[in-house]
Amino acid sequence: MTEKAETMDALDSRDNAPSVKKNGQTSLLDSGEDFEVLDEDDIDDDPPPLEDAGGGKGKKTDKSENKNADMDPEPSGQEDEWLDVLGNDQLKKKVLEAGQGRDSRPQKGQNVKINLKTYLMDGTLVAEQPDLSFTLGDGDVLQALDLTVQLMEMREKALIQTDAKYAYGARGSLEPEVSPNAELSLEVELLEATDAPDLELLPPPEKIALASRKRERGNVHYQRGDYAFAVNSYSIALQITESSSKVDITPEEENELMDVKVKCLNNMAASQLKLDHYDAALKSCVSALAHQPDNIKALFRMGKVLALQGEYTEAIQTLRKALKLEPSNKTIHAELSKLVKKHSEQRGAEQAMYKKMLGNPSSSSGTQKHRAKSSWGFSWKWLFGATAVAIGGVALSVVIAARN
């Protein structure tokens, strides 16, 4: 198998990872605790896959070179060759120093440690991170690293050139300082790869810390508008909080773990709303409220989801419950008044439509009543006249008989 083919295999294993979506506004997450409920723009669904590896124009390689690569499993003769990782010429990898063989490559889900230097394309060094540790494939680092480190051998040094979409995107970064839409050059050395810890045996404080780190990474994705990646990070954090434990855990640690779980569900609902995944967002809100029935943020987002689904009555009831819990919240006030007005307008439009469909039933019923009244009036007049004639006839007959 050529290295090109292994690249495609690696990409296939990434199909379940989410893709980047960079639209919509972000809410405040600077506190690292949870999304602000005061977000005016503030749903099941698997995140969409990564960029299609066959969507662009890749560099053509000589057939003889591919044949040689098949015969030689060691990449020692390929240090000067660029590997087009995605086939679109936007993410490339070149071996600087060969590693310990393909069998030493890390697997998705392992914890890896690398030395990383980040350069602008003009050679400016913007960041140096020795001994950077992360879980491969969890979205803990730039997508360019997640995609290429799994193709590296142990102790290999590689140069990676990436388009902005697999780095800091259209928003850029403040730390490190990277301008929007900047292409980057990454110098990477793979130091080690170890299996992830067994969650059942992980001490509760470490489990809480690990879940919190995954949630905070989701917050970073959310701030950048990468909502699908945010959902993925929150899902991983939820798996950690929901994992069983074979070690003792105190009630305080259980409560702390539950608090992280509810925050993940709330933040996931916000991300799913941005992706228009309303059913999934509603499910996340329901799950959060199952643990904390009076969670205001979950109630607020649930009200917004129900409103977007056209369930205005339920949405109004949910927002009223949230407002009762926090009467001073101006955002809930504004959302509730806007929703009540919209519901009233919709009901008025529906009533007008029904009247039009039935041909103005009020005037029709009035006409029918008038006709009925007229008909009854005519009947009574006829009956009185007939009775008077009959009585007159009887009286006349009596008079004639008396005379005779």
Side-chain angles (χ1 to χ4, degrees):
M1 179 183 292
T2 64
E3 187 165 0
K4 186 81 170 185
E6 289 203 13
T7 303
M8 300 304 295
D9 289 342
L11 287 173
D12 290 339
S13 69
R14 294 275 300 177
D15 280 344
N16 291 329
S19 67
V20 182
K21 288 195 176 183
K22 303 181 185 299
N23 47 25
Q25 299 295 319
T26 59
S27 69
L28 300 176
L29 299 171
D30 295 338
S31 64
E33 288 302 313
D34 200 1
F35 298 121
E36 292 290 330
V37 76
L38 301 177
D39 186 353
E40 188 67 20
D41 293 329
D42 291 349
I43 338 199
D44 175 64
D45 297 332
D46 291 329
L50 290 168
E51 292 281 333
D52 184 4
K57 296 181 179 179
K59 288 188 176 181
K60 296 183 180 180
T61 58
D62 188 87
K63 292 183 179 180
S64 61
E65 293 176 354
N66 287 338
K67 184 176 180 180
N68 292 334
D70 288 336
M71 296 174 61
D72 182 12
E74 298 297 329
S76 57
Q78 299 180 4
E79 282 87 347
D80 296 331
E81 298 178 7
W82 283 102
L83 173 66
D84 190 355
V85 177
L86 298 178
N88 58 8
D89 206 34
Q90 295 180 340
L91 181 62
K92 298 182 294 184
K93 169 183 173 288
K94 183 171 71 171
V95 177
L96 299 179
E97 292 183 16
Q100 298 174 357
R102 295 183 181 180
D103 291 341
S104 66
R105 289 181 177 181
Q107 302 297 314
K108 182 180 178 182
Q110 285 189 313
N111 292 334
V112 298
K113 182 184 291 186
I114 64 173
N115 287 332
L116 174 64
K117 293 181 181 180
T118 303
Y119 297 89
L120 300 179
M121 296 306 288
D122 63 3
T124 302
L125 178 66
V126 294
E128 186 171 0
Q129 296 169 277
D131 296 333
L132 174 64
S133 297
F134 60 94
T135 303
L136 191 59
D138 276 11
D140 296 342
V141 290
L142 296 179
Q143 190 181 2
L145 290 173
D146 248 346
L147 288 170
T148 54
V149 169
Q150 60 185 302
L151 302 175
M152 294 180 63
E153 302 170 0
M154 197 58 56
R155 293 296 170 180
E156 176 186 326
K157 288 185 179 179
L159 187 63
I160 298 164
Q161 291 186 352
T162 176
D163 185 80
K165 69 164 65 176
Y166 307 114
Y168 293 103
R171 295 175 179 268
S173 171
L174 294 177
E175 183 60 40
E177 187 175 351
V178 177
S179 58
N181 298 312
E183 297 180 358
L184 296 178
S185 179
L186 309 174
E187 186 178 306
V188 183
E189 179 184 8
L190 180 57
L191 302 177
E192 67 178 43
T194 57
D195 291 336
D198 188 341
L199 294 178
E200 292 185 337
L201 301 177
L202 202 62
E206 294 183 25
K207 182 180 287 189
I208 293 168
L210 179 60
S212 297
R213 286 198 301 270
K214 299 297 183 182
R215 182 183 66 85
E216 289 165 2
R217 183 60 187 176
N219 291 354
V220 172
H221 287 308
Y222 187 95
Q223 286 177 309
R224 298 186 58 79
D226 299 337
Y227 304 119
F229 275 127
V231 169
N232 183 64
S233 293
Y234 296 138
S235 298
I236 295 171
L238 283 174
Q239 291 174 7
I240 297 170
T241 62
E242 294 170 351
S243 62
S244 58
S245 180
K246 293 182 179 179
V247 297
D248 294 334
I249 181 170
T250 65
E252 292 77 11
E253 290 169 336
E254 285 184 344
N255 291 335
E256 192 173 352
L257 205 58
M258 180 60 65
D259 187 53
V260 175
K261 179 178 180 179
V262 172
K263 287 178 179 179
C264 287
L265 288 167
N266 262 330
N267 294 358
M268 180 179 285
S271 301
Q272 290 162 334
L273 268 171
K274 294 293 188 180
L275 294 169
D276 297 335
H277 295 171
Y278 301 142
D279 290 339
L282 183 61
K283 184 178 178 180
S284 297
C285 293
V286 170
S287 297
L289 292 170
H291 299 294
Q292 296 180 2
D294 292 337
N295 188 288
I296 295 174
K297 293 176 182 179
L299 287 169
F300 177 76
R301 292 197 177 99
M302 185 174 180
K304 295 201 72 171
V305 173
L306 290 169
L308 290 168
Q309 292 180 323
E311 302 292 342
Y312 293 112
T313 302
E314 292 183 46
I316 290 172
Q317 292 174 350
T318 303
L319 289 176
R320 281 176 175 166
K321 182 178 179 180
L323 190 61
K324 186 176 180 181
L325 293 169
E326 192 171 313
S328 61
N329 193 305
K330 296 181 180 180
T331 301
I332 300 178
H333 269 290
E335 188 70 24
L336 183 57
S337 61
K338 182 176 68 176
L339 187 55
V340 169
K341 181 180 179 181
K342 188 174 182 178
H343 189 207
S344 177
E345 291 174 351
Q346 186 194 47
R347 291 180 61 184
E350 288 177 352
Q351 290 176 356
M353 181 182 68
Y354 291 147
K355 288 181 179 180
K356 186 175 181 180
M357 289 173 60
L358 297 174
N360 199 355
S362 59
S363 61
S364 175
S365 60
T367 303
Q368 290 177 358
K369 289 180 181 179
H370 177 71
R371 288 178 180 175
K373 184 177 179 181
S374 300
S375 176
W376 276 105
F378 176 77
S379 300
W380 279 108
K381 289 178 181 179
W382 181 86
L383 182 59
F384 285 138
T387 303
V389 171
I391 294 173
V394 172
L396 181 60
S397 297
V398 172
V399 172
I400 294 174
R403 287 181 178 179
N404 291 337

